[in-house]
Amino acid sequence: MAFHLSNNLVGILNFITFLLSIPILGAGIWLRREGVTECEQFLDKPLIVIGVFLMAVSLAGMIGACCRVTWLLWLYLVVMFLLIVLGVVFTVFAFVVTNKGAGETLSGKGYKEYRLGDYSDWLQKRVTNGKNWNKIKSCLADSKVCTDFHNKYLNISVMEFDDLHLSSIQSGCCKPSNDCQFDYAGPTNWTRGSAVSANPDCNLWDNNLDTLCFNCQSCKAGFIDNLKSSWKKVAIVNIVFLIFLIIVYSVGCCAFRNNRRENHYQHQQQPWKP
């Protein structure tokens, strides 16, 4: 009874995982064929790899448990164990690199401003790398985050603008830094005043919707702050996923032990041949 319970449960859980792998793989193949932007094309390979991996592991688990293929179930458990270890490492790492940095509150402003030096050195190096940042800028342009920002707040006054609670990317990429002391003419339209600022971002600002502050340090900092929030959410989801993996792994260990016991029992029942 224990044999059938644990093996059937492993088979059912892996069948569900197999079904989940199909839309993931399908999405990756669709993006590879239909994706037109660099941001979309950047996602196709990871999705295909994850989809194929989940499909292969779930098939190994199903066949190993339901067909009593002990060596395949053993291989499945090794992969599951490595996944659990990698999941724990990633979760700890995610909390460590996102523990540092936060937006700077400004007096009389509803939004915050973001400084690149406030964040983890590891995240800074990855984001500010020229090749990586060009891809990130492409994604920001494709998402039309600043175009939507411009259209949404086009007709508001400077006092209304100061009261806005902007996202980190809107604050860092779609408007100039408060240090520049530019004169407000619109959410993405600012006039240079007579004030001189040591902030290098002030010289990089351009009212063109394709430029704005996408090359500014504040934009990179705003992106990191947004990335930091996303990573924390992923880390929390990953904890739930790890609990699921540990449960499946434990049931799989029972199935593996039962497979060996069943094989040993069948071997003993075979008639002895001189």
Side-chain angles (χ1 to χ4, degrees):
M1 180 68 181
F3 167 77
H4 291 295
L5 179 61
S6 57
N7 284 55
N8 290 342
L9 188 54
V10 170
I12 292 169
L13 291 173
N14 281 281
F15 179 69
I16 294 171
T17 305
F18 178 80
L19 292 178
L20 290 174
S21 71
I22 295 174
I24 295 174
L25 180 60
I29 294 172
W30 183 86
L31 282 176
R32 166 156 288 197
R33 296 182 61 183
E34 304 294 333
V36 292
T37 66
E38 187 176 1
C39 189
E40 289 174 339
Q41 292 169 353
F42 178 72
L43 293 172
D44 62 356
K45 290 180 181 177
L47 286 175
I48 290 173
V49 170
I50 292 170
V52 171
F53 178 77
L54 286 176
M55 191 172 286
V57 171
S58 57
L59 279 173
M62 280 192 293
I63 296 171
C66 298
C67 300
R68 291 185 290 178
V69 183
T70 305
W71 70 267
L72 196 56
L73 192 56
W74 178 84
L75 181 63
Y76 166 78
L77 290 175
V78 170
V79 174
M80 289 290 287
F81 177 77
L82 292 176
L83 273 178
I84 291 170
V85 172
L86 287 173
V88 171
V89 171
F90 170 77
T91 303
V92 172
F93 177 75
F95 278 114
V96 169
V97 298
T98 59
N99 190 47
K100 182 182 177 184
E104 178 186 341
T105 303
L106 301 174
S107 176
K109 309 287 185 183
Y111 53 82
K112 297 180 180 179
E113 292 208 332
Y114 302 86
R115 312 291 180 187
L116 190 59
D118 293 342
Y119 296 90
S120 155
D121 290 340
W122 188 88
L123 282 175
Q124 285 187 52
K125 289 177 182 177
R126 297 305 177 280
V127 169
T128 57
N129 175 277
K131 184 178 179 181
N132 292 342
W133 183 246
N134 286 334
K135 289 182 178 179
I136 293 167
K137 281 197 299 182
S138 173
C139 290
L140 291 175
D142 292 340
S143 68
K144 302 187 183 301
V145 59
C146 288
T147 303
D148 293 342
F149 169 80
H150 169 82
N151 294 334
K152 184 176 181 179
Y153 302 118
L154 182 60
N155 297 315
I156 65 173
S157 66
V158 64
M159 293 182 64
E160 290 172 315
F161 185 86
D162 287 343
D163 289 335
L164 293 177
H165 296 282
L166 305 179
S167 69
S168 57
I169 291 179
Q170 287 175 332
S171 178
C173 306
C174 306
K175 69 168 193 60
S177 169
N178 197 56
D179 295 341
C180 302
Q181 299 182 38
F182 289 171
D183 296 323
Y184 174 86
T188 58
N189 187 9
W190 300 75
T191 332
R192 297 178 187 273
S194 56
V196 178
S197 173
N199 190 334
D201 285 354
C202 300
N203 295 323
L204 296 173
W205 170 263
D206 193 301
N207 287 331
N208 188 315
L209 280 173
D210 293 328
T211 307
L212 299 179
C213 223
F214 284 128
N215 293 312
C216 297
Q217 299 297 302
S218 63
C219 187
K220 296 171 184 177
F223 177 81
I224 290 177
D225 192 84
N226 184 73
L227 186 66
K228 171 185 166 182
S229 301
S230 299
W231 270 37
K232 281 192 172 180
K233 292 174 184 175
V234 169
I236 292 170
V237 172
N238 200 51
I239 291 173
V240 177
F241 182 62
L242 278 172
I243 294 171
F244 172 76
L245 281 182
I246 291 169
I247 292 171
V248 174
Y249 180 76
S250 301
V251 176
C253 287
C254 292
F256 177 73
R257 186 171 62 249
N258 291 333
N259 274 10
R260 294 188 64 182
R261 186 181 302 155
E262 184 78 6
N263 291 338
H264 180 70
Y265 175 77
Q266 288 179 355
H267 180 73
Q268 286 183 330
Q269 293 300 311
Q270 291 177 356
W272 180 79
K273 294 180 181 180

